[in-house]
Amino acid sequence: MSPRRRSPRQTGKHALLAGAALAILWAAAAEAQTTAPAAAPARPGPDGLLPGELYMEADEVAHDDEAKQTTANGNIEVRYNGRTLRADRLVYEQETGVIRAFGHITIVNADGTSEYADEVVLDEDMRAGVALGFSARLPENVKMAAASAAKRSENIQELNRAIYTPCEICAADGKSKKPTWSIAADKVVRDQKRRIVYYRNARFRLFGAPVLYLPLFWHADPQAGRSSGFLPPKASASDRRGFSYEQPYYLVTSPSSDITFSPQFNTKVNPFLNLEARKRFYSGEVDLRLGYTHDRDFDGKGNEFGKKTDRSYVLGRGAFQIDEKWRWGFTAERASDDLIFDKYEVGDVYETRGPYVADDRRLISQIYAIRQDRRSYFSTAAMTIQGLRPGAIDPVTGFAAGENDRIFPVIGPLVEGHYEVPTTIAGGRLRVHTSGVVLSREQSPTDLSARLPGLDSARATGELDWRRTLTSAGGVRVSPFVSVRADAYRIQDILTGVGSATRKDDMVRGLATAGVDISYPVFKRVKNATVVLEPVAQVAASPDAKQVVIGHNATTGEAIYLNEDSVAFEFDETTLFRPNKFPGYDLYEDGVRLNVAGRASVLWDDGRRANLLVGRSFRTEDNRVFTDRTGLRTKASDWIVAADAQPFRGVSMFARARLDNDTLDIHRLEAGANVYNKRGSGFIRYLTDDFDINGRKRENLDLGGELYVGKNYGVSLYGSRDLKEDAWVIRDYGVFYRDDCLRVDVIYRREDVIVGRLLPSESVSVRLTLATLGGTFNGR
């Protein structure tokens, strides 16, 4: 509505456009009409006002024409350019554009943050001004308060005799309390453009007690998404490196890139520099981690030996989207020492950085390109592998030799393609699969001291796979399937058993499998649960497959088959119903076999559940292509049992086992449980295996968790025990304090088992995490 003028004052509840603001708008509109062409009309903002409009509401408004002053009293609300000001009394000077507000002042900014004061003087845009008794509530529950504040511009704010804290300052009963930690300073400058908060004569207080004084200090603005600055440090004391202090510094180099420098200073060994650089592009990103030192080698007690040399690692990845179907990327993973990550406690090493993943304690460098749409998939890649697993301990030196990387093949190219025909064939779906790979190995793993030539091979494969699913009126599901495959091999440097003499071989073979899956799921409601029972059977038949033989065992005379891609094969519930149980291409399951299982599930209406599967495989003849450890060599396979359950909220359990086909002895068992509730969380894992992929018995126990003692305190535990060696690999015991804005962890670690050159070691580390000052704040 238009302003109305009465002298000396106008009373009552009013909402009006201020005269000064109206005059400004009028002048701006006239200038726009004479200097600019007609433009599309502006749209109102969320508050219903057009850009530049001002809305004021108060219990009482008076306008003095002679003094050119507007005064408002009682329940005042002013809205302008996305800001809202509330106060008890307001005086607007028309000539200067100055706004003075008094009593219970609240300013709500467009970004949702709030500022409070007893008295405020602002310019006509409500951007710059001075406040007494100032306080502010920012994102992440940050609070700032000061005796006085001066807002120099839209971006610069100065606070005098100020305090900063993200902690709660009000108790549950409404009374004030001391924050867990805070920073008090003579002057605080908040630069929103640079997104930094500066402190002069900063005093850190923990539980109200001063703990640190810094004449100058700064940190990222709580509203800053990314800003350069120090991250929380890491401190520890151990037998291995002595006292260790690591101080990360985060540097923003551009809107799309940053670098984190993290030097580690040690009292027993030389410093170690960690660095991570990240860069985003319009089509992808690159993440590169590096580490470097120049030092002698050392054991678990910090005893140095050998000559000084450069020691380093690189862990890099890149991923790019070319278009909606094509993407490419790479990983670069290498280390100068097998135990460099253990010695310097470098974390997050064995992560998945690309589509191809190496085994534990092995690094993989790869380059790949992938095309995928709704019906097809194509990939091509090349890769190399570095092994970091220590070998047997040398009885003379007491050290363990690392893996010989020359026995790992260079893989490339590796090509895979899959295509599903859009039309049905004989009522079913037809898929086409292609694959090819070239492997080049420098050295044979059979006798490392003899440096025998390594096996080289190349394979090309084409396959047709057809399947159809039929369901009867009674619920019986029948799925017939047929697959036909052709392989072509070229193998070189096959050892003949006479010194380093080798031979080569070329081979072409045809493979085929036909079969049918049959299942009959039935269900029944039992009170508040649904019970599902499903017998499943699969019949498959394949003519005798021509396996790729590269030698014979000198003792037993059994054939040695080429096996580059099925070494880590496990017979369990996931492979029970595979027509060809080998996951790779080199080995192929033939003969007539019957795979059977029974599944049972109980699904409660409140979300609880339980599942059980019991099954095994039968065949007409023994199959010596399978190794003893698989449980599939004989006519009747080992038993497969798998179960999982969520019996009640906060608890989940699982178990999978392979039992001897005659005695029901456990050959392999993996089991675990997870527990979480308001008092804490925990997990336990157990694994026993008569023969792992290296032919050794394995038995491990891993457990860990946190228990909250009271509201703020807790204890933590983590342990990894090698039950076969009857020794703990790692034991962590910790205590911690946590509240809404701080967490302190004190962790004692002992590593008992000798790993390579690392002797048993003890360490104590302290981790301090302050909310809003960098780092995660969700536990260890």
Side-chain angles (χ1 to χ4, degrees), residues 474-701:
V476 178
R477 290 188 302 203
V478 179
S479 298
F481 58 87
V482 177
S483 66
V484 180
R485 196 177 103 189
D487 297 333
Y489 280 89
R490 168 163 288 186
I491 307 173
Q492 296 178 315
D493 291 338
I494 305 173
L495 294 173
T496 63
V498 181
S500 60
T502 62
R503 65 180 177 88
K504 63 181 180 179
D505 189 15
D506 294 339
M507 188 189 80
V508 176
R509 65 178 178 177
L511 306 167
T513 299
V516 62
D517 292 336
I518 303 173
S519 64
Y520 183 42
V522 295
F523 74 94
K524 183 178 181 179
R525 287 288 298 178
V526 179
K527 294 184 179 179
N528 63 337
T530 300
V531 179
V532 181
L533 301 176
E534 183 181 15
V536 184
Q538 180 188 78
V539 180
S542 305
D544 291 344
K546 184 179 180 182
Q547 308 292 348
V548 184
V549 179
I550 58 174
H552 291 81
N553 187 290
T555 303
T556 64
E558 287 193 350
I560 300 175
Y561 303 107
L562 177 68
N563 182 16
E564 299 281 12
D565 49 18
S566 298
V567 177
F569 164 63
E570 293 290 349
F571 177 44
D572 56 24
E573 74 280 8
T574 65
T575 56
L576 174 61
F577 289 102
R578 286 177 58 100
N580 174 28
K581 292 183 176 59
F582 292 109
Y585 289 90
D586 293 337
L587 301 178
Y588 195 85
E589 184 179 8
D590 56 11
V592 179
R593 56 268 189 198
L594 170 66
N595 304 312
V596 295
R599 295 182 182 134
S601 300
V602 182
L603 308 174
W604 283 271
D605 297 341
D606 58 5
R608 294 177 295 155
R609 62 176 177 82
N611 301 289
L612 174 67
L613 178 143
V614 179
R616 67 189 308 194
S617 180
F618 301 91
R619 64 182 62 254
T620 57
E621 297 179 356
D622 292 351
N623 192 328
R624 313 306 289 179
V625 178
F626 290 102
T627 61
D628 286 330
R629 68 175 296 271
T630 61
L632 284 164
R633 290 196 113 184
T634 58
K635 294 181 180 180
S637 76
D638 287 348
W639 288 89
I640 297 299
V641 180
D644 67 85
Q646 290 183 348
F648 38 84
R649 183 179 178 86
V651 176
S652 62
M653 302 176 291
F654 75 92
R656 57 175 59 91
R658 180 167 55 84
L659 312 179
D660 188 86
N661 61 345
D662 292 326
T663 64
L664 297 183
D665 291 339
I666 296 174
H667 289 310
R668 191 177 193 277
L669 170 65
E670 183 181 1
N674 300 291
V675 180
Y676 67 91
N677 57 35
K678 64 180 181 180
R679 299 304 302 252
S681 62
F683 71 91
I684 185 170
R685 300 285 187 272
Y686 173 77
L687 171 66
T688 179
D689 193 343
D690 286 350
F691 301 97
D692 64 10
I693 61 175
N694 297 311
R696 295 190 294 265
K697 181 176 175 58
R698 180 182 178 188
E699 190 174 10
N700 297 329
L701 177 69

Side-chain angles (χ1 to χ4, degrees), residues 422-485:
T423 59
T424 59
I425 306 296
R429 60 110 178 110
L430 178 66
R431 291 175 178 166
V432 181
H433 307 282
T434 59
S435 175
V437 65
V438 176
L439 304 177
S440 302
R441 185 181 280 104
E442 182 179 347
Q443 183 177 343
S444 172
T446 55
D447 188 348
L448 298 181
S449 61
R451 296 290 297 269
L452 300 177
L455 184 72
D456 299 335
S457 64
R459 174 186 53 80
T461 296
E463 182 179 9
L464 296 177
D465 173 23
W466 175 89
R467 178 181 286 270
R468 181 180 182 183
T469 300
L470 304 169
T471 304
S472 71
V476 178
R477 290 188 302 203
V478 179
S479 298
F481 58 87
V482 177
S483 66
V484 180
R485 196 177 103 189

Side-chain angles (χ1 to χ4, degrees), residues 296-438:
R296 302 168 68 192
D297 204 352
F298 60 92
D299 61 21
K301 297 298 183 181
N303 301 314
E304 294 187 327
F305 53 88
K307 296 181 179 180
K308 283 191 175 184
T309 185
D310 294 329
R311 306 182 186 278
S312 60
Y313 72 84
V314 57
L315 300 171
R317 61 173 290 271
F320 302 90
Q321 193 75 34
I322 300 174
D323 56 30
E324 61 180 9
K325 297 180 181 179
W326 278 96
R327 58 189 173 96
W328 78 277
F330 68 88
T331 67
E333 301 180 353
R334 277 295 181 272
S336 61
D337 300 52
D338 290 343
L339 300 174
I340 191 171
F341 301 114
D342 305 272
K343 292 174 180 177
Y344 294 98
E345 295 189 8
V346 179
D348 301 325
V349 175
Y350 307 105
E351 292 185 334
T352 300
R353 296 182 175 87
Y356 301 95
V357 183
D359 295 333
D360 187 35
R361 293 193 68 88
R362 284 175 177 161
L363 304 178
I364 181 169
S365 298
Q366 60 190 289
I367 183 170
Y368 61 89
I370 297 174
R371 183 193 185 277
Q372 185 172 8
D373 59 25
R374 191 170 62 89
R375 291 195 172 272
S376 66
Y377 173 89
F378 172 82
S379 69
T380 180
M383 65 200 75
T384 61
I385 297 172
Q386 180 185 11
L388 302 182
R389 296 176 183 173
I393 302 295
D394 189 312
V396 178
T397 65
F399 297 150
E403 291 185 287
N404 187 339
D405 296 337
R406 290 187 293 270
I407 68 174
F408 297 123
V410 175
I411 306 170
L414 170 62
V415 179
E416 291 187 84
H418 309 282
Y419 175 72
E420 183 171 328
V421 177
T423 59
T424 59
I425 306 296
R429 60 110 178 110
L430 178 66
R431 291 175 178 166
V432 181
H433 307 282
T434 59
S435 175
V437 65
V438 176

Side-chain angles (χ1 to χ4, degrees), residues 20 63-70 91-97:
H63 184 69
D64 190 334
D65 291 334
E66 295 180 0
K68 296 183 179 181
Q69 183 180 85
T70 300
V91 177
Y92 179 76
E93 304 288 347
Q94 181 176 339
E95 290 186 346
T96 62

Side-chain angles (χ1 to χ4, degrees), residues 38-66:
R43 294 183 178 181
D47 55 6
L49 300 178
L50 293 172
E53 284 188 335
L54 182 146
Y55 174 89
M56 184 174 69
E57 180 177 310
D59 291 340
E60 181 180 280
V61 178
H63 184 69
D64 190 334
D65 291 334
E66 295 180 0

